[in-house]
Amino acid sequence: MDELDALRQMRTTLAREENPDQLALRAGWRVGASPQRRRRAFKLPMVSLAAVTAVAAGSVAVLTLPSDPVGTGTGGPGKAGTVPAPGNALLVAATSAEKGKVGKYWHSRLIIGEIFAVGKSAADHYKVDYVQRSEGWVGRNGNGWWGNQDLPARPWTAQDKQKWQAAGSPAQVEAPSAEGPIVLFLKNENTGMAVRPNPDQSFHGLTPKQFAALPAEPAKLQEALLDLKDHWQAYAPDGPKQPMRTLRGKARIRALSDVAGTLLSTAPASPAVRAAAYRMLATLPGVKAEGRTTDPLGRTGTVISLPVATTMPLGLYTAPKQLGTYRRQWIIDPATGALMAIRDLVATPPRGSRKLPPGDDGKPRSLQVKDMPDRFHKPGEIASYKAYELGEWTDTEPKLPPQ
């Protein structure tokens, strides 16, 4: 089947499965919205999901958006081209996600990476990706198993590999971190993953059974998530957990998107709730598409950018130790409804210093730029990421090591 046949089939499927109101929502994202459109000659390589939905609604107009301005480290900068508007991409992903079936276990596997700068100066440093793999099964009855595995660190780009080789291809390197120097092993043996029972799994305080009870309507889902209690303020001091609804503006958008990311990746959410999470995200102000790009695993997807300057990771303990600012992006596959990756890009490189609470000895402490693993990063470069290799409902039993 060529791309033109695929376009015809998707157009027919959309027209058959959705009523006119839904098709209009796809074409215009929000009711009453009038997205800017530019008519252009139809070219086969430029087929996009936005074009498909526009055809289904009776128009062949497509949206031309700016390309992703950042590099991915594996696939290079995002390519310019015709891409779905953000709401359209999210709504297409929602329709794809809700077609899934629930199984006995939610099985997820992800790669977690943090990019460290190795070297003493901006001129001679090279970047190393510190990598971990996590894999988990969560049953609908609440039973869970989880495993983690350290993978060999690796030079981040081809240029970084050349610099590492010029340095003698060391098997281990030292890099700074907020907790002190850290040793990264680039040639350690792969010892495999030990998966162990984890019967008390919760996600943002919700158990698997509570996840199953979440509403599948976007507005109601958002109301339910706003009642979740946690340390939502990234820079807040330790203290009692607060409901998410106490947040305002971009802080609330950040928290909602953070929980939505969990719903779409590692948590045992039903297909209907996953679809509602996408639709909820599409209603949040400032969400925008930034073109097509490759994720850290080399897969191509649509970039959805959040209108917030984040810290990475978003956490009470680690966030106050960041000296730079970061912006968060999702990479999704609208056709399958999969959340492929979440990445944090440097917005403002680390600079200056920040006071920290006194140590156990009572002496004052501060965080310095020299302690930051991304101290030589430029704006737009990736500081950390999560790439989701797998996320599916399955009836296959977990593969556990012999006891």
Side-chain angles (χ1 to χ4, degrees):
M1 179 184 296
D2 62 19
E3 291 186 52
L4 190 56
D5 286 335
L7 176 62
R8 293 192 185 103
Q9 180 175 329
M10 292 178 71
R11 176 183 61 191
T12 303
T13 301
L14 286 170
R16 181 174 62 249
E17 295 183 354
E18 296 189 298
N19 62 43
D21 289 339
Q22 290 173 310
L23 292 174
L25 179 61
R26 282 184 177 280
W29 183 6
R30 296 189 178 95
V31 176
S34 300
Q36 180 181 1
R37 295 182 177 183
R38 180 179 303 170
R39 293 190 178 274
R40 61 191 305 164
F42 180 80
K43 295 182 179 180
L44 204 57
M46 304 298 281
V47 172
S48 71
L49 288 168
V52 173
T53 55
V55 168
S59 170
V60 198
V62 296
L63 291 166
T64 301
L65 298 174
S67 63
D68 181 7
V70 302
T72 65
T74 54
K79 297 177 177 60
T82 304
V83 297
N88 288 333
L90 291 165
L91 294 175
V92 172
T95 299
S96 300
E98 66 186 349
K99 293 178 181 178
K101 297 181 180 180
V102 176
K104 189 175 181 180
Y105 300 102
W106 177 255
H107 181 199
S108 62
R109 186 166 61 240
L110 67 150
I111 299 292
I112 304 169
E114 184 173 3
I115 315 304
F116 287 81
V118 177
K120 299 298 184 183
S121 71
D124 70 359
H125 85 283
Y126 57 90
K127 298 179 181 66
V128 172
D129 183 15
Y130 170 61
V131 191
Q132 289 182 308
R133 174 181 280 124
S134 294
E135 186 168 7
W137 290 261
V138 187
R140 285 185 290 169
N141 60 2
N143 291 335
W145 296 264
W146 199 261
N148 293 289
Q149 177 185 14
D150 284 327
L151 300 179
R154 57 192 180 186
W156 179 233
T157 67
Q159 183 179 13
D160 294 319
K161 184 176 181 179
Q162 291 175 355
K163 289 187 175 182
W164 170 69
Q165 291 173 335
S169 302
Q172 61 186 58
V173 295
E174 185 177 288
S177 78
E179 304 301 326
I182 184 173
V183 176
L184 307 176
F185 296 91
L186 286 87
K187 296 182 179 180
N188 63 320
E189 294 183 2
N190 191 334
T191 57
M193 179 182 294
V195 179
R196 302 297 182 193
N198 184 9
D200 299 320
Q201 292 198 66
S202 67
F203 303 83
H204 298 286
L206 294 177
T207 66
K209 291 183 178 180
Q210 290 172 319
F211 260 104
L214 285 174
E217 195 278 325
K220 293 180 180 179
L221 175 62
Q222 179 169 325
E223 279 298 306
L225 299 183
L226 290 176
D227 286 332
L228 296 180
K229 292 183 178 182
D230 211 329
H231 293 116
W232 300 113
Q233 292 284 4
Y235 290 98
D238 198 358
K241 295 182 178 180
Q242 299 294 328
M244 191 192 298
R245 66 176 64 253
T246 61
L247 302 177
R248 294 292 181 269
K250 293 181 178 180
R252 178 179 286 191
I253 295 174
R254 186 200 68 232
L256 281 170
S257 64
D258 204 33
V259 178
T262 302
L263 281 168
L264 292 165
S265 57
T266 56
S270 69
V273 171
R274 287 166 52 81
Y278 274 126
R279 293 179 176 125
M280 179 192 72
L281 190 69
T283 67
L284 299 181
V287 176
K288 63 180 181 179
E290 291 194 352
R292 301 275 291 176
T293 193
T294 50
D295 74 354
L297 300 183
R299 305 167 298 182
T300 302
T302 299
V303 178
I304 301 296
S305 183
L306 306 178
V308 294
T310 72
T311 56
M312 32 62 81
L314 292 173
L316 176 71
Y317 179 69
T318 54
K321 297 186 178 182
Q322 302 300 331
L323 290 176
T325 60
Y326 307 85
R327 62 189 182 96
R328 178 156 292 180
Q329 293 180 329
W330 287 18
I331 303 176
I332 68 171
D333 181 356
T336 64
L339 172 59
M340 299 166 60
I342 296 176
R343 62 186 188 183
D344 287 306
L345 312 175
V346 172
T348 304
R351 60 183 178 182
S353 62
R354 177 176 296 144
K355 290 184 179 179
L356 297 177
D360 294 338
D361 57 6
K363 295 182 179 179
R365 297 185 303 157
S366 66
L367 185 65
Q368 307 293 327
V369 169
K370 63 182 179 63
D371 301 318
M372 293 290 95
D374 58 335
R375 65 200 186 284
F376 298 135
H377 282 35
K378 297 177 181 178
E381 292 184 336
I382 298 177
S384 68
Y385 65 87
K386 291 181 180 179
Y388 301 99
E389 289 186 307
L390 178 69
E392 64 178 6
W393 284 102
T394 178
D395 291 327
T396 303
E397 295 293 328
K399 296 179 180 179
L400 302 178
Q403 301 296 320

